[in-house]
Amino acid sequence: MTRTITTPRRPRRTAGLVAAVAAAGLLLSACSGSDDDAAADGASPGAESFDAVSVQLSWLKNQQFAGEYVAVEDDLYTDAGFPEVTLTAGGSSATSAEAAVATGQAFVGLSSPLITAPAIQGGAELKIIGATYQRNPFALVSADSAPITGPDDLPGTTIAVSDSNTLVWNAFLAANDLDDSDVTTVPLSDTSMLTTGQVDGFIGYTTTGAAALENAGFAATEFLLADEGLPMVGEVLVTSQEAIDDKPEQVKAFLLATVRGWQGALADPARAVDLTVNTYGKEQQYDADAVTLSFDRQATLIETDETAANGILTVSDELQQGTIESLAFAGVDIDAADLFDLSLLDEVYAENPDLLP
């Protein structure tokens, strides 16, 4: 049974706000119910019961959401009290996570701080409650025969950048005291622009960057923008301030199941890949070897020294500040307290010490 629960808008939300949030979601393309009257369908004995909810994903169903797949398949959400958790695919023409959460179409959305922060500034009452990626996935990819190893190598080069990544590219240039006259920026069509020598490098995701080109027979290298001036988290979990205030146990239950789902996915990469290729992303006809490479690379963004100490999805004070400073380079000025609320995730770990080794 699949249900969509839509929460009525709060009076102070306006049509203009919804439009602003939806527009913010296009910058990077890359339903909650009552706690008291929730259905008990499928909930484990003794678990608190909630209504079915929807999760708005940031992109098409690929390996980025393997933890959520495992949480669904292993009934972790059911055990946490949710009779149904529907994962709604994103994409260039899909509703943004911010718009879906702000309008009650989704209980949680997956997004980027570069989208969430402007939405909040536009009036959306949202908060980041966790981050799948401790390091954002943006990378500058170049040929191994003419490597670009860092910002110092960029002057005089030609770099291909897609429209959706223009904001992060400009932020990276600003963070490293570079401007448009130092680097020639051209639109990115596909990675053949690098392999055929049309450009010196391109901005992409590390999950489909140099490793993918190497697998295809082209020797490539890359560096993460997170290591060169943009220490910003990625693939963040966003929910409404209303949910945090009025449904904290429901938010905590969702976070707990999602953490356990990611623990399961990271412990069994082969299963995570199988669920991506043969179940959730079956329509996309993914290549299993390519997804395996992407998942392995993705794991390095999720599992870090900080998550080993603090847990998956957590965001340290230092990383929060790094994200705020990275956003400032993109022209987005916001305080950490207005963007993040990790208090419920902190409670999840305090109440479930078995989540940490």
Side-chain angles (χ1 to χ4, degrees), residues 54-58 65 68 88 95-102 105-112 116 126-130 132 235-240 254:
S54 177
V55 178
Q56 179 61 56
L57 305 179
S58 60
F65 318 109
E68 285 79 10
T88 303
T95 301
S96 73
E98 288 75 12
V101 173
Q105 297 175 55
F107 181 58
V108 170
L110 290 166
S111 190
S112 163
T116 306
L126 308 170
K127 286 287 174 61
I128 292 173
I129 55 172
T132 309
E235 210 59 51
V236 294
L237 283 72
V238 179
T239 196
S240 66
F254 181 87

Side-chain angles (χ1 to χ4, degrees), residues 37-311:
D37 301 322
D41 301 354
S44 60
E48 193 160 354
S49 297
F50 310 109
D51 279 343
V53 298
S54 177
V55 178
Q56 179 61 56
L57 305 179
S58 60
W59 193 243
L60 304 176
K61 292 180 180 178
N62 61 18
Q63 77 288 333
Q64 289 173 237
F65 318 109
E68 285 79 10
Y69 304 157
V70 171
V72 171
E73 293 297 313
D74 288 356
D75 294 327
L76 299 175
Y77 289 125
T78 301
D79 292 344
F82 298 96
E84 187 92 25
V85 170
T86 300
L87 304 178
T88 303
S92 57
S93 60
T95 301
S96 73
E98 288 75 12
V101 173
T103 58
Q105 297 175 55
F107 181 58
V108 170
L110 290 166
S111 190
S112 163
L114 285 163
I115 302 174
T116 306
I120 292 172
Q121 290 181 319
E125 297 181 357
L126 308 170
K127 286 287 174 61
I128 292 173
I129 55 172
T132 309
Y133 294 166
Q134 295 285 298
R135 305 160 77 201
N136 71 78
F138 295 106
L140 196 151
V141 184
S142 59
D144 199 46
S145 58
I148 299 173
T149 60
D152 290 344
D153 295 336
L154 280 170
T157 62
T158 298
I159 306 299
V161 182
S162 65
D163 288 343
S164 61
N165 289 338
T166 298
L167 190 62
V168 73
W169 171 239
N170 289 337
F172 170 74
L173 292 177
N176 289 281
D177 296 322
L178 296 167
D179 57 38
D180 294 341
S181 64
D182 295 316
V183 185
T184 300
T185 303
V186 299
L188 173 66
S189 57
D190 56 58
T191 59
S192 69
M193 294 181 71
L194 176 64
T195 60
T196 58
Q198 299 175 58
V199 297
D200 299 300
F202 68 87
I203 294 295
Y205 277 7
T206 185
T207 51
T208 55
L213 289 177
E214 289 274 0
N215 190 51
F218 181 83
T221 187
E222 69 181 28
F223 66 83
L224 289 175
L225 304 194
D227 295 333
E228 298 291 347
L230 287 184
M232 179 174 59
V233 293
E235 210 59 51
V236 294
L237 283 72
V238 179
T239 196
S240 66
Q241 187 64 53
E242 180 181 25
I244 294 170
D245 293 341
D246 300 341
K247 304 176 179 72
E249 294 306 316
Q250 186 168 327
V251 175
K252 286 163 59 177
F254 181 87
L255 288 169
L256 174 61
T258 303
V259 168
R260 293 197 189 281
W262 271 110
Q263 288 178 332
L266 293 165
D268 191 352
R271 183 178 180 226
V273 170
D274 179 68
L275 286 173
T276 300
V277 173
N278 297 314
T279 303
Y280 290 86
K282 187 174 183 179
E283 293 182 359
Q284 304 303 321
Q285 298 183 326
Y286 293 123
D287 176 76
D289 290 339
V291 172
T292 298
L293 281 174
S294 294
F295 185 85
D296 290 345
R297 187 61 182 156
Q298 173 178 271
T300 68
L301 306 177
I302 300 171
E303 293 184 297
T304 65
D305 290 342
E306 288 198 356
T307 58
N310 304 320

